[in-house]
Every structure is written in C-alpha cells, then in structure tokens.
C-alpha cells in the first residue's frame, strides 16, 4: 500500500506500519521534520526517510523569512532555525545523532544513516 500526502501527516494520519517518509522539498524546520519522520516505523519495524531538496528551496525559505513583516530578532531566530535544518540535511555524520542532539539528547552514531 502506498499513501501519498502533503500536510496530511499533521491532520491525523495514524498508520503504525509506514515504512518510508519522503520529503520532496525542505521541511519548514527541524521540529517539523522530526514530527513528520516520526510517522515511520511506529510499529517498531525498520523504516526509512528521504529528504530531497535544492538550493532554490533554501533561497525561497530565506526570502520568506526576509519578507516576513516581523521584527529583526524574529527574522534572526528563523534564519538560525533554517541554518540548523540545512546543517542537518547536509551533515557528514550520523543524522540521527545530530537530530537528537538538536533536542538536547546524546546519541551515538546509529550505523543506519546514509553517511
């Protein structure tokens, strides 16, 4: 069974046997990415994630932040959040350990990431 969804993961999709989550663009934040990939493997079986993105995704996200009418401090925080997401996506070490480290958890390299 294949399920294709856009923002449906935030709308109550609760299937325990999702084997793969694919992002065809840069997620909105590390927090959103973590929540979305957490849908895979809820039944305890192995699952995979894949994130595809390009420089245009980063450029567009930066433009959205810069064009947001909020104060400069908010824009700085959003740019830092985007920087963290790009660092995760472009990591040259275990992404799981990096992701958990973002949330303050220590984790050894899992041996399962694409690095």
């Amino acid at each position: 069974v294949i399920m294709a969804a856009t923002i449906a993961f935030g709308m109550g999709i609760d299937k325990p046997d999702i084997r793969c989550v694919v992002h065809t663009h840069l997620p909105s934040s590390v927090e959103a990415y973590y929540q979305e990939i957490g849908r895979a493997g809820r039944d305890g079986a192995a699952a995979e994630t894949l994130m595809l993105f390009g420089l245009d995704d980063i450029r567009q996200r930066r433009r959205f932040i810069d064009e947001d009418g909020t104060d400069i401090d908010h824009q700085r925080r959003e740019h830092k959040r985007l920087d963290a997401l790009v660092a995760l996506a472009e990591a040259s070490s275990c992404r799981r350990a990096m992701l958990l480290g973002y949330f303050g958890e220590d984790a050894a390299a899992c041996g399962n990431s694409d690095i």
Side-chain angles (χ1 to χ4, degrees):
V1 174
I2 295 177
M3 177 187 299
T6 56
I7 60 168
F9 285 116
M11 300 171 72
I13 301 294
D14 192 21
K15 300 283 187 189
D17 58 349
I18 293 174
R19 300 276 67 87
C20 184
V21 173
V22 177
H23 285 86
T24 58
H25 64 283
L26 203 59
S28 60
S29 66
V30 174
E31 294 84 358
Y33 177 68
Y34 189 58
Q35 189 269 338
E36 293 161 5
I37 65 171
R39 302 293 179 176
R42 286 187 170 184
D43 58 359
E48 297 183 6
T49 64
L50 174 66
M51 182 187 337
L52 306 172
F53 71 98
L55 292 176
D56 284 341
D57 293 321
I58 300 168
R59 191 177 6 245
Q60 180 181 28
R61 188 66 48 82
R62 291 213 185 277
R63 192 182 81 235
F64 289 160
I65 293 168
D66 291 339
E67 292 175 355
D68 188 4
T70 59
D71 65 271
I72 194 73
D73 287 334
H74 176 75
Q75 288 177 343
R76 262 192 217 110
R77 285 190 304 273
E78 290 303 307
H79 278 293
K80 286 180 98 171
R81 289 178 70 203
L82 177 56
D83 291 343
L85 179 61
V86 172
L88 175 66
E90 295 180 341
S92 59
S93 60
C94 177
R95 293 183 215 288
R96 180 181 178 273
M98 190 171 180
L99 181 62
L100 293 175
Y102 178 85
F103 293 104
E105 295 183 36
D106 290 327
C110 67
N112 293 322
S113 62
D114 61 333
I115 307 300

